[in-house]
């Protein structure tokens, strides 16, 4: 595997780590389906406590899979997949290139 592919793979690690958790997957699906939501709205829809939802949202923010906007006293979260999709596409392209060169 080329060094470039390894570097891209390492950049993708937070995305893979986030996606392995079922609760985070549920939050992502909910945000995908519903659009922007507050923590309270997410809590109403999922069987997780508010602290648990906040914990998962922090990880999603750190991985740059969601964004947050504060309005008055509420924080609204929305899905932002553009950067993650670009990075994952780069990984696939690099792996395909490595595979072609190996043959």
């Amino acid at each position: 595997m080329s060094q470039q592919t390894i570097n891209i793979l390492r950049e993708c690690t937070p995305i893979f780590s986030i996606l392995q958790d079922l609760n985070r997957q549920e939050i992502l699906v909910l945000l995908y389906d519903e659009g922007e939501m507050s923590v309270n709205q997410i809590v109403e829809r999922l069987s997780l406590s508010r602290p648990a939802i906040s914990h998962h949202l922090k990880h999603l923010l750190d991985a740059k899979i969601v964004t947050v906007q504060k309005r008055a006293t509420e924080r609204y979260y929305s899905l932002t997949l553009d950067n993650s999709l670009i990075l994952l596409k780069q990984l696939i392209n690099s792996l395909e290139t490595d595979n072609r060169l190996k043959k």
Side-chain angles (χ1 to χ4, degrees), residues 75-87:
R75 293 171 59 115
Y76 289 87
Y77 294 85
S78 58
L79 205 53
T80 177
L81 294 176
D82 292 344
N83 291 334
S84 297
L85 290 173
I86 290 168
L87 194 54

Side-chain angles (χ1 to χ4, degrees), residues 2 4 6-7 11 22 41 46-48 63 78 85 97 99:
S2 71
Q4 177 184 350
I6 292 168
N7 292 340
E11 284 185 70
L22 295 177
Q41 291 170 323
L46 301 178
S47 60
L48 295 170
S78 58
L85 290 173
T97 299
N99 191 48

Side-chain angles (χ1 to χ4, degrees), residues 41-56:
Q41 291 170 323
I42 296 169
V43 169
E44 290 172 4
R45 299 286 299 276
L46 301 178
S47 60
L48 295 170
S49 68
R50 183 182 171 89
I53 296 286
S54 293
H55 170 78
H56 290 301

Side-chain angles (χ1 to χ4, degrees), residues 8-70:
I8 297 169
L9 180 60
R10 287 183 179 145
E11 284 185 70
C12 290
T13 299
I15 299 167
F16 297 135
S17 177
I18 290 302
L19 295 177
Q20 73 182 3
D21 185 282
L22 295 177
N23 292 317
R24 292 182 195 135
Q25 289 175 20
E26 286 185 31
I27 293 169
L28 292 174
V29 169
L30 187 59
L31 290 173
Y32 182 85
D33 290 344
E34 301 296 326
E36 187 178 76
M37 297 179 77
S38 69
V39 175
N40 289 332
Q41 291 170 323
I42 296 169
V43 169
E44 290 172 4
R45 299 286 299 276
L46 301 178
S47 60
L48 295 170
S49 68
R50 183 182 171 89
I53 296 286
S54 293
H55 170 78
H56 290 301
L57 286 169
K58 181 190 179 321
H59 286 290
L60 292 167
L61 275 168
D62 290 345
K64 299 178 181 154
I65 296 176
V66 299
T67 58
V68 63
Q69 285 189 330
K70 189 172 183 177

